[in-house]
Amino acid sequence: ENPDLDLDSVTGMYNKHALLSYVSYLLNERESFAVVSVYCNLLDKGYDHNTVDKVFLESVNFINDYRDNKVFVSGDYEIIAVYKNKTSALEHSEIIKERFKDGWCNNSIVMDPYMIIVDDSSFFNNALDVPYCLRYIKSNYIEPADIHYYRTPHDVIRKMYEQREKIRFINDALDNDRVEVYYQPIFSTGLKKFVAAEALVRLRNEDNSIVMPSEFIEIAEQNGLIIRLGETVFRKVCQFLSEHNPSSLGINYIEVNLSVVQCEYAGLANDYIAIMEEYHIDPSWINMEITESANNVARGNMLRNMEKLQEYGVKFSLDDFGTGHSNLNYIMEMPVDIVKFDRKMVTSYFKDGKAKYVMDAAMSMIKGMDMEIVSEGIEDENQLKVMNDLGIHYIQGFYFSKPLPQNEFIDYIVNNNKESIAY
């Protein structure tokens, strides 16, 4: 009815607005349907826009010629075909796959498109769920694994809805100040006192229950919410330090976690420096914990942020050493002062002879580089004594304390730092 609103100006086909209208109609009428999405973007292959547009137009016309579908185009050279039944969708998807093998523009350009098939519409609650589902599958199941043909199982759509609910929950917690910081004490084997703590985020649910990081951190990283969440945690830590001078508690610094996603954010250092200045925080009170960097781009951004924060006076730790990409080469590249041995690595030390040799060698090299070591996951007195005998500088784990809410943490430190702790 409205060509300007419903038609794509380049191809003359129905656009995303028309897709939503059509899917809304099908859902309202309780009619089942299936969806085949074809991504055919050749720009990253070095082709110019003119050529890519020609290939896309030929692809659209070919898919549109099928008798039993309605075809829509979206951004990023995506074709979305909606079918009245699963059989037609599956049959036509095979035909599309074979046609792409023949090539376009007089068979001169052959490409392997990303194809997503959603053959059961009963899971969708509204029209917006369809493009959301396609983006979710492309981001989480196709691109990372380089899979070009994906028939969506039911459990993936279920996970999509679960992820979206978690995103809603995180946003709601941020908007309504339900982000809380817990502090886990860190013990100095030399001073036999608690000298630091790690800040750990918790979210409080609407029913007042606490939600642990394992339930939301990965989702926050995948969707960019970790930037806002991390800044909120850092602001709360700075507020805590401004209200409770750490030296009066015997605390030298608080460790604050930074994920790779946060470090990729170019404005991270400037934002965090501004927060420290707002709360008049001595930067030596802050130690940022970083994890491994997944790629060179992230590592470059991370280094720039680290250098700016270090110039300001912040120190750094390498967290979770012994997992992922956190190896000795990485330690040499990153300007860190402290290395934290991962709980799994520490546990393996007491169970596995090979792990013991690896950890002994790592400790020797790290100490040789004048870095200090924190051993995480210490849970009993024997582990504490062994780590002390090995010359580990700091101990963190349930043997001393689990992570505590702010007021409980202050009470714990005040009560336990009155005199040296014997063991």
Side-chain angles (χ1 to χ4, degrees):
E1 294 180 1
N2 189 339
D4 292 335
L5 191 61
D6 290 335
L7 296 181
D8 177 64
S9 59
V10 176
T11 63
M13 303 299 297
Y14 289 120
N15 59 19
K16 185 177 178 180
H17 181 269
L19 168 70
L20 296 177
S21 298
Y22 181 59
V23 171
S24 291
Y25 165 77
L26 294 176
L27 290 172
N28 288 335
E29 295 297 317
R30 300 183 181 276
E31 293 189 23
S32 63
F33 60 91
V35 177
V36 174
S37 171
V38 182
Y39 293 86
C40 44
N41 188 353
L42 286 167
L43 290 176
D44 58 351
K45 304 294 184 183
Y47 291 97
D48 59 79
H49 278 277
N50 220 20
T51 303
V52 176
D53 287 343
K54 288 180 180 178
V55 171
F56 184 63
L57 187 57
E58 285 189 31
S59 305
V60 171
N61 288 331
F62 174 79
I63 295 172
N64 190 50
D65 283 341
Y66 191 69
R67 68 186 181 278
D68 191 25
N69 66 11
K70 287 192 182 298
V71 175
F72 307 84
V73 296
S74 183
D76 193 29
Y77 296 97
E78 179 187 14
I79 307 165
I80 301 173
V82 180
Y83 302 79
K84 287 293 184 71
N85 59 71
K86 175 169 69 175
T87 302
S88 294
L90 294 175
E91 287 179 353
H92 197 211
S93 65
E94 292 296 330
I95 294 171
I96 295 170
K97 269 205 309 184
E98 292 304 313
R99 176 61 185 83
F100 268 87
K101 292 177 182 178
D102 294 335
W104 308 95
C105 297
N106 297 320
N107 308 108
S108 62
I109 299 176
V110 177
M111 66 176 295
D112 192 7
Y114 292 122
M115 291 183 61
I116 298 169
I117 301 170
V118 183
D119 56 27
D120 185 353
S121 61
S122 62
F123 287 89
F124 294 129
N125 297 322
N126 59 66
L128 287 171
D129 289 349
V130 173
Y132 185 94
C133 177
L134 296 175
R135 288 195 305 272
Y136 172 80
I137 295 166
K138 186 170 183 281
S139 298
N140 293 280
Y141 294 92
I142 287 185
E143 288 183 339
D146 199 29
I147 297 171
H148 285 261
Y149 184 79
Y150 190 83
R151 183 176 174 184
T152 307
H154 292 170
D155 69 309
V156 167
I157 299 178
R158 176 182 52 79
K159 289 177 182 176
M160 176 198 77
Y161 281 111
E162 289 175 354
Q163 184 195 72
R164 191 162 65 176
E165 177 56 28
K166 287 182 179 180
I167 292 171
R168 184 209 63 78
F169 165 68
I170 296 168
N171 276 312
D172 189 63
L174 286 164
D175 291 340
N176 293 283
D177 194 24
R178 293 206 307 273
V179 177
E180 300 185 14
V181 179
Y182 279 45
Y183 297 88
Q184 185 170 31
I186 297 176
F187 181 78
S188 166
T189 56
L191 297 175
K192 294 183 171 53
K193 289 187 175 182
F194 296 99
V195 297
E198 180 178 357
L200 297 160
V201 63
R202 305 286 188 264
L203 299 185
R204 191 167 290 278
N205 219 327
E206 293 173 350
D207 63 4
N208 212 36
S209 62
I210 287 293
V211 180
M212 301 299 285
S214 58
E215 295 294 317
F216 60 84
I217 288 294
E218 185 177 356
I219 297 295
E221 289 180 337
Q222 291 173 354
N223 293 274
L225 288 170
I226 194 67
I227 304 297
R228 185 182 172 198
L229 180 61
E231 184 174 307
T232 299
V233 170
F234 188 69
R235 181 175 292 278
K236 286 180 177 288
V237 169
C238 288
Q239 182 178 359
F240 167 70
L241 290 171
S242 71
E243 295 173 353
H244 306 276
N245 190 309
S247 58
S248 66
L249 301 172
I251 298 296
N252 297 329
Y253 61 87
I254 300 291
E255 295 179 350
V256 182
N257 288 285
L258 282 181
S259 73
V260 172
V261 178
Q262 288 173 274
C263 291
E264 287 179 334
Y265 169 51
L268 176 95
N270 289 336
D271 289 352
Y272 279 37
I273 289 171
I275 293 172
M276 284 185 277
E277 290 179 345
E278 177 185 344
Y279 287 94
H280 308 290
I281 299 301
D282 184 336
S284 67
W285 293 349
I286 301 293
N287 184 293
M288 309 300 295
E289 289 190 13
I290 58 170
T291 52
E292 78 279 1
S293 176
N295 54 59
N296 290 331
V297 173
R299 191 170 300 182
N301 291 335
M302 177 185 286
L303 282 170
R304 284 186 286 274
N305 278 314
M306 289 179 70
E307 288 167 1
K308 187 170 290 187
L309 287 165
Q310 275 195 320
E311 288 174 4
Y312 188 72
V314 173
K315 293 186 181 298
F316 284 86
S317 299
L318 178 62
D319 196 17
D320 291 343
F321 179 80
T323 64
H325 300 279
S326 297
N327 51 37
L328 291 172
N329 288 332
Y330 193 71
I331 291 176
M332 290 187 287
E333 293 176 13
M334 296 290 108
V336 298
D337 303 288
I338 297 172
V339 176
K340 301 190 74 172
F341 284 166
D342 175 71
R343 180 180 181 277
K344 291 181 180 178
M345 185 176 185
V346 174
T347 301
S348 297
Y349 182 88
F350 294 96
K351 297 180 178 179
D352 188 331
K354 291 182 180 179
K356 183 178 184 300
Y357 284 115
V358 170
M359 189 164 157
D360 285 340
M363 282 188 289
S364 176
M365 285 184 277
I366 291 168
K367 290 178 182 177
M369 290 186 280
D370 293 324
M371 297 178 185
E372 295 182 306
I373 301 173
V374 177
S375 181
E376 298 181 298
I378 298 303
E379 297 183 353
D380 59 50
E381 188 173 359
N382 176 61
Q383 290 179 337
L384 172 62
K385 288 180 177 179
V386 171
M387 291 296 111
N388 179 68
D389 293 341
L390 289 172
I392 298 293
H393 305 92
Y394 303 106
I395 301 296
Q396 181 177 350
F398 280 21
Y399 174 74
F400 287 115
S401 174
K402 64 182 180 180
L404 300 169
Q406 177 178 304
N407 291 337
E408 291 182 31
F409 168 73
I410 293 172
D411 291 342
Y412 181 90
I413 296 300
V414 169
N415 292 332
N416 286 279
N417 267 0
K418 294 176 179 177
E419 56 187 38
S420 296
I421 297 174
Y423 55 89

